[in-house]
Amino acid sequence: MSVTSVSAIAVLDLAHELIVRRVIAVDELACCSMDLQQRYLAWRRGEPATPPVQEQRLAERYLLWLWQTLEQRESGEIAAQHALAIGSVVHADSIGVLANWLSHCATLGDALDTFTTNSALLNPSERWQVSLEKDALLIHLQLAGAQAYPAVALLRSAAALSCWVKHLSGLAIKPRCLRVSSAYAPYVALLKDHFACEILQGSGFSVCFAPEILTYPVGAANAYMRQLLAGKAKALASEGLASQTLTARLQHLLRADLAHYARIDACCAALHMSRSTLFRRLKREGATYSELLRQVRLEQYHALLAGAKSIADMHEQLGFAEPSSFYKFVKSYATAKV
């Protein structure tokens, strides 16, 4: 069974932020893993690495341990303040391949599409879903992997989204509002102060911007660098997928394009195997295609609801050929937990 991995630079940067903020000490990294401590020390000493640390991966459990340690050692409000502050700074020496790629996209819309399509390079558990309403751009944030991330981890994601919108555009762009579930009620005052916008009751966690920001140019964009980084990112993604279980690879396909890969034949073609081989190998891993499809549909159904998407508009996005099949799904699973 393969181990889910995340961007090494994301883990090391978070570890450094928590050390600087005196939440943990360098020696305590060994409580999680000697490997984590050694990688951190080598990175801080500036030791050359092959491949560069920006292209390396670390076990997701390291990232989870850091977030859980923050949650355990600090009160809810203090932990939330740390998370928001950590997400609000771009360190030039602590950005990986994906972040560098975003810096060379032509527009904010291109950058957002690039991130949502390739977020597994950062963390396979972190997913952003974008929806457009009449006068609003909604970005639904979710940490929906098998791991149980503390709520404050998503606050960092929201702060990072807002920070990168400003960083890439060079403009002082603020969200119009945040839509958050009752799970974030303890942080409403803090969120309102940090984002300087209205905080509305909603489902999950969504950040709303004016839709015209999608057309804003990225100040430092370079087409040649964009092409180079896109190639490197795709190579890294292929290497990562090759080391994953079939279950993880199939989940990646479904989350990337549910409307297309809801058809079993499309999955078989992408994975270069017959239907019988796919079913047999999934069974060996204790999974089934139908159950994986149901789980991903539920994730995206709840994300679309959080974005105030009309139920009538959802069936194609969730890979249903007929509205009747979609309504049957809603009736059976609408109250299910993701």
Side-chain angles (χ1 to χ4, degrees):
M1 184 71 71
S2 63
V3 175
T4 302
S5 65
V6 299
S7 167
I9 197 69
V11 176
L12 299 177
D13 186 56
L14 177 59
H16 185 64
E17 288 287 348
L18 296 182
I19 289 167
V20 168
R21 296 167 191 282
R22 301 180 184 275
V23 176
I24 60 173
V26 174
D27 291 347
E28 291 181 290
L29 295 178
C31 298
C32 174
S33 166
M34 285 297 298
D35 175 53
L36 174 58
Q37 185 187 53
Q38 291 167 0
R39 299 269 202 114
Y40 174 80
L41 291 172
W43 174 58
R44 294 308 300 169
R45 287 193 294 259
E47 295 179 5
T50 305
V53 68
Q54 288 84 356
E55 298 176 18
Q56 293 179 22
R57 309 289 290 177
L58 286 173
E60 185 183 12
R61 66 181 180 85
Y62 295 177
L63 189 67
L64 186 66
W65 180 84
L66 291 168
W67 282 118
Q68 290 176 338
T69 301
L70 171 61
E71 182 186 49
Q72 292 162 5
R73 296 190 177 180
E74 302 289 359
S75 68
E77 184 171 348
I78 298 299
Q81 288 174 349
H82 281 313
L84 290 168
I86 290 169
S88 298
V89 180
V90 175
H91 298 291
D93 60 344
S94 300
I95 59 176
V97 172
L98 180 56
N100 275 291
W101 185 7
L102 300 182
S103 298
H104 292 286
C105 288
T107 65
L108 287 183
D110 292 338
L112 184 58
D113 182 63
T114 296
F115 183 87
T116 55
T117 305
N118 299 277
S119 60
L121 284 170
L122 177 67
N123 181 355
S125 295
E126 182 156 1
R127 295 164 214 148
W128 295 8
Q129 189 153 0
V130 179
S131 61
L132 278 169
E133 296 184 354
K134 291 180 181 178
D135 61 347
L137 167 68
L138 279 174
I139 305 171
H140 177 72
L141 311 181
Q142 191 177 27
L143 282 165
Q147 308 293 350
Y149 281 87
V152 293
L154 204 60
L155 299 187
R156 186 219 66 88
S157 297
L161 166 59
S162 181
C163 178
W164 273 87
V165 165
K166 296 173 185 174
H167 175 73
L168 293 176
S169 67
L171 300 172
I173 300 170
K174 294 192 303 183
R176 282 184 171 177
C177 68
L178 269 60
R179 297 180 183 177
V180 302
S181 70
S182 57
Y184 297 92
Y187 312 120
V188 166
L190 194 61
L191 292 173
K192 188 172 184 179
D193 180 63
H194 180 87
F195 292 98
C197 68
E198 190 176 8
I199 312 299
L200 305 176
Q201 181 76 32
S203 173
F205 198 115
S206 299
V207 185
C208 175
F209 289 96
E212 54 265 27
I213 73 165
L214 294 175
T215 65
Y216 291 178
V218 174
N222 180 288
Y224 175 65
M225 289 300 299
R226 179 166 67 249
Q227 185 178 4
L228 287 180
L229 289 162
K232 173 59 72 175
K234 288 173 183 176
L236 291 173
S238 296
E239 291 171 11
L241 284 174
S243 66
Q244 288 181 346
T245 61
L246 180 59
T247 299
R249 293 168 66 194
L250 187 53
Q251 287 173 323
H252 176 81
L253 289 175
L254 291 169
R255 287 165 180 152
D257 190 350
L258 182 54
H260 180 66
Y261 290 111
R263 297 182 295 108
I264 184 68
D265 291 343
C267 291
C268 291
L271 296 168
H272 306 291
M273 63 183 66
S274 67
R275 184 181 297 209
S276 59
T277 300
L278 177 69
F279 288 166
R280 183 174 65 253
R281 289 182 56 183
L282 284 175
K283 183 177 180 181
R284 194 182 305 155
E285 296 177 8
T288 66
Y289 172 79
S290 59
E291 178 58 21
L292 292 174
L293 177 60
R294 186 188 72 85
Q295 289 173 357
V296 174
R297 274 176 166 160
L298 275 174
E299 290 173 6
Q300 298 201 7
Y301 169 72
H302 287 297
L304 289 168
L305 278 184
K309 196 77 172 179
S310 166
I311 289 181
D313 296 333
M314 290 185 193
H315 82 271
E316 290 184 356
Q317 290 178 263
L318 296 177
F320 290 100
E322 300 294 336
S324 59
S325 299
F326 168 67
Y327 284 110
K328 183 177 180 181
F329 165 82
V330 172
K331 185 176 180 180
S332 300
Y333 301 116
T335 58
K337 298 290 185 182
V338 179

